[in-house]
């Protein structure tokens, strides 16, 4: 049971990080100087769009975000399957 809770927490943390990277983040949880003083980690989120601005990939920001989200959650699922002790 505790492994299941651990994996749920890991998945929720990954989802929160991906949500912060997306353009849909609406929370200002830290100051304008950035998280831990790192200016690149601004409180408004939308980091992927900011990183892609001025590049040929900028119009594909949402597509890149969705593909990355899918790949990371798929990797988490495979890691869960590998490390869980379920009988198959």
């Amino acid at each position: 049971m505790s492994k299941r809770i651990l994996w749920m927490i890991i998945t929720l943390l990954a989802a929160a990080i991906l949500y912060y990277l997306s353009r849909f983040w609406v929370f200002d949880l830290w100051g304008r100087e950035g998280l831990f003083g790192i200016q690149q980690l601004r409180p408004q989120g939308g980091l992927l769009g900011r990183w892609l601005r001025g590049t040929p990939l900028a119009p594909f920001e949402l597509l890149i975000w969705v593909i990355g989200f899918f790949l990371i959650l798929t990797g988490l699922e495979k890691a869960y399957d590998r490390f869980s002790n379920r009988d198959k």
Side-chain angles (χ1 to χ4, degrees):
M1 184 65 146
S2 64
K3 279 189 176 183
R4 187 175 203 166
I5 292 172
L6 174 67
W7 279 104
M8 289 177 70
I9 291 171
I10 290 171
T11 304
L12 286 173
L13 281 173
I17 290 169
L18 289 170
Y19 185 58
Y20 171 67
L21 292 175
S22 77
R23 67 172 85 171
F24 307 111
W25 183 264
V26 295
F27 309 107
D28 287 340
L29 300 178
W30 49 86
R32 296 184 61 73
E33 68 276 356
L35 182 63
F36 305 120
I38 303 171
Q39 287 184 330
Q40 288 78 14
L41 298 178
R42 61 190 193 145
Q44 294 88 5
L47 293 183
L48 183 62
R50 186 175 183 183
W51 294 335
L52 293 176
R53 192 173 298 140
T55 68
L57 297 175
F60 306 106
E61 172 200 354
L62 188 58
L63 181 63
I64 292 168
W65 184 83
V66 168
I67 290 170
F69 190 79
F70 175 77
L71 290 175
I72 289 174
L73 288 182
T74 300
L76 283 173
E77 180 183 18
K78 292 206 179 278
Y80 175 77
D81 288 341
R82 172 171 275 177
F83 294 118
S84 67
N85 294 329
R86 294 186 290 167
D87 293 331
K88 294 186 178 185

